[in-house]
């Protein structure tokens, strides 16, 4: 579909929030359609950002129904109205399906109610139906006002004063069924609920050698089914967009019995509730169960997850996503003119973008049309590159071709874990091993990092050796912080002895340093002239060349969960402030993003130096806060943010200064941030990025193998990462200049731009650069440059 929105070049000068004023503006915020975890975080961000810029913000209760009914359904929101809602699932302002808004009469009533409050800016959080309704309303607005004036309901003056309505949408939907955004608010939390259930079911299924058929939500979209299948290594998955081929019944039973023959004690089959066959006939979970029992005689059970997926507390990812989107939505409303078309604030890779609402809705409807017309390949393509990529990787990892059908490459590829353990490492190893075997390589596992490499702790690892690894935390291969510098001789010897042709390193900053040492030693040891690629895996998220690393999302969720509990305890005792210390070395990512996700009052980080005056102003800020109805405080501190302002010092300072106003407690989270089962994000991210790394290795081996050339150029030793919207392989030699080696962090870090957000939402004045946002982008052209980083 051709886009009629010309891309506008980004401004070269920075634009700051201070240049935008909301005074005299009234913003209405509503949630509509099915609820999703994270909606409250979005509502909170809209309310607080709106008040911060001087606008009036109104809750519209019960979605469009409240807009039509008016009266007590439209209420002005205060700063404290959205306190303590960040960690609550669902939506506190209610949501309802509204038949009346489908009629012109209903919309006329709604327009009258909005004019009464002077609301001409709408922020709608919902699915494609809700957003379509908002756009129709926006188009009819001036006619509706004229009709109201004609009927004597409003004055002519009001028609002129409130002549146009601006609409910005945010997509809240657990199904991730909206085209144009990589992730909708609520999807990640729904995946958390699904993975919790799958992890629990796997232990019981293992005990009894059972087959489980799990039905997940997704009437028209198979995203939840596909990603949860990818994240748990399910044996089979049924999706509405990609029905199984004719004869699937036979194929599935063969696959299940083959897996049992490989000593696998359980089978997991995941079904989207809208699963269909190629004739558009439904495939139900009961039908699948009956088939397995009849054909194979396996003990089979069905579990339907239902509304559990919509409930529970939002994940850290959803809270941060919703907070970013809510702030972006307010900025979009402040910048809107009468000519601005309705837009949707969405996520592309790691960037917030604005897209034309009409085009996104049209594309979403095109997917359904393609499915109805049985054009399934088109349906998958229209869902976006992320969906297509997930599907292709799932197929490669789930189904092993017979050995005689795999073309052997005669190459040996080794996988190693380096540095501290991070949740999701095992998912990355599993993915690498299986993609490598599918590409015809012999895969070798190196145990216990570079230390084990030098000692020759190297074994071949097969397809079924890595079964069931995705959900396990830590590092099964074992990992150490030792660098290769002292063992270069021995490592070169092991590479020769095992004829290793390529190396995949999964780890954190030590892995990065190790890669640099191996790169520098190539002149001396020709054995090291092989393709090497590093996949970042560390809770600290401090590897140059990537916005994200495997394990940091799991750590962030641990921090957020702990903060939720601590806040609850502080609310009970009243007038209490907690100081919480997070990990991360010198990198403040966990403290800053944890602060944003948990609604902290302050987060001290190394990247933003602070002094006694800042500590003093934070104490005064908390003293003021204790006079309101929110009588608790939460302060995060990165473990290495300051040599002298230690956690104890800050705790003692707050205790002394807050005497008589609040008391203080401290909590050091420590190594619990490294442990635990990986979050769905880390399982999925680890699986996808590691598969991509193996594809790169295969390409590089093909390039060098035929020509017999040594891999001496810099582009044979790379770090694979996500940067803004793209997946990038960057030579480690090029990243040296971007690294602060003393503090083990990249010189520039993307998340520092989000730091003012945390401060603004905690009621501090902050300078916020909004130059990255501002232009409507065409839907299709988002990822024309580079390889898209759909997370």
């Amino acid at each position: 579909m051709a886009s009629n929105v010309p891309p506008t070049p980004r401004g070269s000068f920075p634009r700051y929030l201070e240049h935008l004023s909301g005074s005299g503006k009234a913003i209405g915020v509503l949630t509509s359609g099915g609820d999703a975890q994270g909606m409250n975080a979005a509502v909170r961000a809209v309310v607080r950002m709106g008040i911060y810029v001087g606008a009036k913000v109104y809750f519209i209760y019960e979605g469009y129904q409240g807009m039509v009914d008016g009266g007590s359904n439209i209420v002005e929101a205060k700063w404290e109205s959205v306190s303590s809602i960040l960690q609550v699932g669902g939506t506190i302002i209610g949501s309802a399906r509204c038949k009346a808004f489908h009629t012109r009469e209903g919309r006329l009533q709604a327009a009258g109610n909005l004019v009464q409050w002077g609301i001409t800016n709408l922020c709608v959080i919902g699915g494609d139906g809700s957003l379509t309704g908002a756009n129709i309303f926006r188009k009819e607005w001036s006619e509706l006002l004229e009709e109201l004036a004609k009927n004597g309901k409003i004055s002519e003056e009001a028609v002129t004063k409130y002549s146009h309505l601006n609409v910005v949408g945010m997509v809240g939907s657990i199904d991730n069924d909206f085209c144009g955004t990589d992730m909708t608010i609520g999807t990640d939390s729904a995946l958390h609920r699904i993975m919790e259930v799958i992890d629990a079911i796997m232990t019981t299924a293992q005990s009894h050698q059972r087959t489980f058929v799990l039905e997940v939500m997704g009437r028209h979209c198979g995203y939840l089914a596909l990603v949860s299948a990818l994240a748990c290594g399910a044996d089979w998955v049924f999706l509405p967009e990609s029905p199984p081929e004719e004869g699937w019944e036979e194929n599935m039973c063969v696959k299940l019995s083959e897996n049992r023959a490989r000593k696998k004690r359980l089978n997991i089959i995941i079904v989207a509730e809208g699963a269909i066959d190629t004739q558009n006939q439904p495939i139900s979970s009961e039908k699948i169960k009956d088939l397995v029992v009849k054909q194979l005689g396996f003990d089979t059970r069905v579990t339907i997850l239902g509304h559990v997926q919509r409930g529970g507390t939002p994940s850290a990812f959803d809270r941060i996503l919703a907070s970013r989107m809510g702030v972006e939505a307010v900025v979009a409303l402040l910048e809107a003119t009468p000519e601005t078309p309705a837009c949707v604030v969405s996520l592309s890779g790691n960037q917030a973008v604005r897209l034309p609402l009409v085009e996104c809705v049209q594309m979403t409807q095109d997917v359904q049309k393609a499915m109805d017309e049985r054009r399934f390949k088109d349906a998958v393509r229209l869902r976006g590159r992320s969906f297509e990529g997930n599907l292709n990787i799932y197929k490669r990892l789930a189904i092993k071709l017979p050995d005689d059908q795999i073309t052997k490459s005669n190459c040996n590829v080794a996988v190693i874990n380096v540095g501290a353990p991070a949740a999701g490492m095992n998912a990355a190893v599993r993915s690498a091993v299986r993609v490598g075997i599918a590409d015809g390589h012999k895969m070798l596992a190196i145990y216990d990092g570079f230390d084990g490499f030098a000692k020759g702790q190297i074994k071949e690892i097969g397809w079924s050796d890595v079964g069931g690894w995705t959900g396990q935390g830590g590092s099964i291969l074992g990992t150490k912080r030792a660098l290769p510098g002292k063992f270069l001789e021995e490592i070169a010897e092991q590479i020769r002895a095992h004829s290793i042709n390529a190396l995949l390193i999964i780890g954190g900053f030590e892995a990065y340093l190790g890669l640099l040492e191996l790169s520098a030693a190539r002149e001396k040891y020709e054995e090291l002239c092989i393709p090497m690629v590093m996949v970042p895996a560390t809770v600290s998220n401090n590897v140059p060349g990537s916005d994200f690393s495997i394990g940091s999302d799991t750590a962030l969720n641990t921090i957020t969960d702990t903060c939720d509990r601590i806040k609850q305890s502080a609310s009970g005792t009243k007038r209490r402030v907690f100081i919480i210390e997070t990990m991360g070395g010198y990198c403040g990512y966990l403290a800053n993003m944890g602060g944003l996700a948990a609604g902290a009052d302050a987060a001290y980080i190394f990247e933003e130096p602070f002094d006694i005056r800042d500590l003093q102003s934070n104490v005064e800020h908390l003293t003021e806060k204790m006079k309101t109805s929110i009588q608790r405080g939460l302060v995060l501190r990165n473990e290495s943010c300051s040599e002298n302002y230690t956690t104890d010092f800050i705790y003692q300072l707050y205790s002394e200064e807050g005497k008589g106003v609040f008391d203080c407690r401290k909590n050091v989270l420590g190594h619990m941030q490294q442990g635990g089962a990986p979050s769905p994000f880390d399982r999925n991210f680890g699986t996808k990025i590691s598969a991509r790394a193996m594809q790169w290795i295969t390409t590089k081996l093909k390039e060098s193998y035929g020509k017999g050339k040594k891999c001496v150029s810099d582009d044979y030793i790379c770090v694979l990462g996500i940067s803004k919207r793209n997946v990038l392989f960057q030579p480690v030699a090029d990243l040296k200049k971007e690294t602060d080696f003393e503090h083990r962090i990249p010189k520039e870090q993307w998340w520092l731009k989000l730091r003012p957000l945390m401060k603004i939402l905690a009621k501090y004045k902050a300078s916020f650069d909004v130059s990255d946002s501002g232009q409507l982008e065409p839907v299709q052209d988002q990822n024309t440059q580079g390889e898209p980083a759909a997370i």
Side-chain angles (χ1 to χ4, degrees):
M1 183 180 74
S3 169
N4 52 9
V5 181
T8 318
R10 303 244 181 236
S12 51
F13 58 92
R15 287 191 348 275
Y16 289 98
L17 189 63
E18 298 87 294
H19 304 156
L20 302 169
S21 165
S23 69
K25 289 201 173 187
I27 299 171
V29 59
L30 70 144
T31 51
S32 171
D35 67 317
Q37 307 95 321
M39 278 182 165
N40 286 330
V43 169
R44 170 181 178 266
V46 171
V47 169
R48 292 199 166 172
M49 189 65 170
I51 293 172
Y52 179 83
V53 295
K56 282 191 165 185
V57 185
Y58 293 88
F59 286 144
I60 300 172
Y61 285 97
E62 311 306 336
Y64 288 118
Q65 192 63 54
M67 204 193 285
V68 172
D69 296 344
S72 61
N73 288 304
I74 301 176
V75 177
E76 188 177 345
K78 297 280 181 280
W79 190 274
E80 274 102 53
S81 319
V82 288
S83 146
S84 304
I85 67 168
L86 197 56
Q87 64 273 27
V88 180
T91 161
I92 58 151
I93 54 176
S95 176
R97 313 266 178 202
C98 173
K99 288 208 171 78
F101 199 76
H102 286 280
T103 66
R104 188 178 165 90
E105 191 49 47
R107 293 194 289 274
L108 190 68
Q109 249 176 293
N113 290 327
L114 291 187
V115 168
Q116 210 178 327
W117 293 95
I119 299 170
T120 55
N121 296 283
L122 268 192
C123 183
V124 182
I125 308 163
D128 60 336
S130 314
L131 300 182
T132 309
N135 193 47
I136 293 169
F137 192 41
R138 186 189 72 87
K139 282 183 177 162
E140 291 178 350
W141 181 259
S142 49
E143 293 168 31
L144 293 172
L145 293 203
E146 277 162 23
E147 195 173 324
L148 286 166
K150 207 165 87 185
N151 300 346
K153 296 274 173 65
I154 60 171
S155 65
E156 284 296 339
E157 192 187 339
V159 176
T160 320
K161 190 177 174 186
Y162 306 120
S163 59
H164 66 275
L165 177 74
N166 289 318
V167 171
V168 172
M170 284 185 265
V171 192
S173 155
I174 65 163
D175 294 337
N176 203 21
D177 55 358
F178 193 79
C179 292
T181 184
D182 285 347
M183 278 293 242
T184 57
I185 296 167
T187 306
D188 187 66
S189 303
L191 285 169
H192 272 260
R193 297 300 90 81
I194 295 170
M195 294 318 300
E196 283 158 17
V197 170
I198 292 177
D199 286 350
I201 274 177
M202 276 176 140
T203 53
T204 166
Q206 199 119 25
S207 310
H208 296 276
Q209 298 202 34
R210 283 199 172 123
T211 295
F212 267 88
V213 181
L214 270 111
E215 185 179 299
V216 300
M217 279 185 165
R219 268 202 310 273
H220 307 293
C221 177
Y223 184 88
L224 290 177
L226 176 55
V227 174
S228 46
L230 196 58
C232 77
D235 297 84
W236 202 270
V237 65
F238 290 91
L239 315 169
E241 295 89 342
S242 179
E245 292 160 7
E246 294 294 328
W248 61 268
E249 295 90 344
E250 176 74 17
N251 295 341
M252 183 182 77
C253 291
V254 168
K255 169 86 199 306
L256 296 179
S257 47
E258 273 176 6
N259 281 353
R260 281 291 169 94
R262 286 198 194 108
K263 306 265 190 310
K264 189 175 178 186
R265 291 178 62 88
L266 76 160
N267 303 108
I268 300 274
I269 298 165
I270 294 181
V271 192
E273 60 179 326
I276 47 176
D277 62 18
T278 46
Q279 302 308 307
N280 279 18
Q281 293 308 303
I283 297 176
S284 70
S285 31
E286 281 299 332
K287 179 182 174 177
I288 296 163
K289 175 198 161 175
D290 295 343
L291 179 76
V292 175
V293 171
K294 192 172 148 205
Q295 299 269 351
L296 301 171
F298 289 172
D299 184 358
T300 307
R301 298 282 191 275
V302 172
T303 300
I304 295 172
L305 266 64
H307 280 74
V308 165
Q309 297 159 81
R310 279 194 194 282
T313 181
S315 65
F317 183 92
D318 271 332
R319 297 182 197 194
I320 294 166
L321 173 70
S323 301
R324 283 175 76 179
M325 300 293 122
V327 166
E328 179 69 27
V330 173
V331 174
L333 287 171
L334 294 182
E335 293 182 331
T337 64
E339 288 71 50
T340 311
C343 76
V344 179
V345 178
S346 65
L347 182 76
S348 172
N350 183 28
Q351 250 188 333
V353 292
R354 296 180 202 169
L355 303 172
L357 188 148
V358 184
E359 288 184 26
C360 292
V361 169
Q362 183 57 53
M363 258 182 90
T364 306
Q365 288 167 352
D366 287 348
V367 179
Q368 190 54 47
K369 193 167 171 243
M371 279 153 61
D372 293 343
E373 293 170 4
R374 309 218 297 254
R375 293 182 288 110
F376 296 110
K377 281 206 169 100
D378 288 348
V380 169
R381 187 179 49 76
L382 285 164
R383 274 270 177 250
R385 293 199 213 175
S386 152
F387 190 88
E388 214 171 347
N390 282 333
L391 186 57
N392 292 336
I393 290 175
Y394 172 74
K395 285 176 179 168
R396 292 200 75 178
L397 297 178
I399 297 161
K400 181 181 187 293
L401 287 170
D403 288 338
D404 54 4
Q405 286 179 34
I406 298 174
T407 316
K408 294 282 176 279
S409 67
N410 299 324
C411 290
N412 296 344
V413 179
V415 184
I416 183 171
N417 287 350
V418 177
M425 275 182 161
N426 299 322
V429 173
R430 167 186 176 266
S431 171
V433 167
R434 291 199 168 176
V435 171
I437 290 170
D439 283 346
H441 310 314
K442 179 174 166 185
M443 297 302 295
L444 302 172
I446 300 170
Y447 294 85
D448 297 336
F450 287 120
D451 197 14
F453 201 166
K455 290 177 185 158
Q457 295 173 0
I458 303 168
K459 275 200 209 119
E460 184 176 353
I461 186 163
W463 185 277
S464 43
D465 296 336
V466 290
W469 278 30
T470 46
Q472 298 197 41
S475 160
I476 297 172
L477 293 185
T479 177
K480 286 193 176 169
R481 290 177 181 270
L483 293 174
K486 356 179 226 217
F487 318 114
L488 288 169
E489 186 88 36
E490 295 90 330
I491 286 174
E493 176 53 43
Q494 294 298 339
I495 290 178
R496 191 164 55 246
H498 291 88
S499 333
I500 294 171
N501 303 96
L503 180 64
L504 169 63
I505 303 176
I506 299 167
F509 206 84
E510 282 86 5
Y512 173 72
L513 293 174
L515 197 59
L516 278 167
E517 289 183 3
L518 293 173
S519 172
R522 285 186 298 176
E523 287 175 13
K524 194 171 173 193
Y525 303 99
E526 63 167 3
E527 293 85 349
L528 298 175
C529 298
I530 56 174
M532 297 184 197
V533 63
M534 173 192 164
V535 167
T538 162
V539 296
S540 309
N541 197 22
N542 61 338
V543 176
S546 188
D547 289 356
F548 292 106
S549 54
I550 299 164
S552 56
D553 183 72
T554 306
L556 211 47
N557 277 295
T558 304
I559 293 167
T560 311
D561 291 348
T562 311
C563 288
D564 286 352
R565 291 177 187 191
I566 285 172
K567 268 167 82 173
Q568 210 168 21
S569 134
S571 302
T573 40
K574 296 270 189 300
R575 300 179 175 276
R576 181 163 282 178
V577 174
F578 273 89
I579 318 283
I580 295 171
E581 183 187 298
T582 67
M583 280 177 129
Y586 285 100
C587 177
Y589 177 81
L590 290 179
N592 189 66
M593 301 308 260
L596 188 55
D601 295 282
Y604 299 118
I605 60 171
F606 168 76
E607 290 87 349
E608 190 177 279
F610 58 96
D611 59 22
I612 198 77
R613 286 181 294 276
D614 297 308
L615 293 171
Q616 183 61 35
S617 86
N618 291 145
V619 171
E620 285 162 10
H621 188 267
L622 283 165
T623 307
E624 284 306 305
K625 187 177 173 183
M626 296 299 160
K627 294 175 185 168
T628 69
S629 56
I630 321 166
Q631 298 185 344
R632 55 167 169 68
L634 186 66
V635 175
L636 270 65
R637 178 189 175 274
N638 159 261
E639 59 184 354
S640 305
C641 67
S642 163
E643 202 179 333
N644 297 313
Y645 297 135
T646 60
T647 303
D648 284 335
F649 177 90
I650 293 175
Y651 160 68
Q652 284 161 355
L653 177 88
Y654 272 62
S655 299
E656 183 60 35
E657 295 293 319
K659 259 189 190 155
V661 184
F662 57 80
D663 66 354
C664 221
R665 295 286 183 276
K666 64 176 176 179
N667 201 322
V668 177
L669 297 185
H671 280 74
M672 64 190 271
Q673 296 162 84
Q674 272 181 6
S679 67
F681 180 96
D682 278 331
R683 296 181 198 199
N684 189 16
F685 181 52
T687 299
K688 284 160 68 168
I689 200 156
S690 184
R692 185 63 195 88
M694 280 309 298
Q695 289 167 351
W696 178 87
I697 284 179
T698 300
T699 310
K700 289 290 176 196
L701 286 172
K702 279 181 184 156
E703 277 175 22
S704 58
Y705 203 69
K707 300 166 192 149
K709 67 171 183 180
K710 285 275 175 239
C711 311
V712 287
S713 64
D714 284 345
D715 61 347
Y716 278 98
I717 298 200
C718 285
V719 173
L720 168 58
I722 281 184
S723 175
K724 284 190 177 161
R725 304 192 196 182
N726 296 322
V727 172
L728 291 179
F729 287 90
Q730 298 179 72
V732 70
D734 296 356
L735 291 170
K736 256 164 109 168
K737 58 181 180 297
E738 295 173 23
T739 310
D740 170 354
F741 285 100
E742 186 193 343
H743 299 106
R744 300 160 59 95
I745 51 176
K747 285 180 183 167
E748 277 191 26
Q749 302 185 80
W750 68 273
W751 52 266
L752 283 169
K753 275 197 166 172
L754 300 185
R755 189 149 170 81
L757 268 195
M758 193 201 86
K759 294 182 179 177
I760 289 169
L761 297 176
K763 218 172 183 175
Y764 284 94
K765 286 265 177 283
S767 184
F768 184 39
D769 182 354
V770 291
S771 3
D772 269 359
S773 57
Q775 310 307 339
L776 263 187
E777 303 194 3
V779 180
Q780 293 286 27
D781 297 349
Q782 288 178 80
N783 280 321
T784 44
Q785 292 87 30
E787 192 177 324
I791 304 165

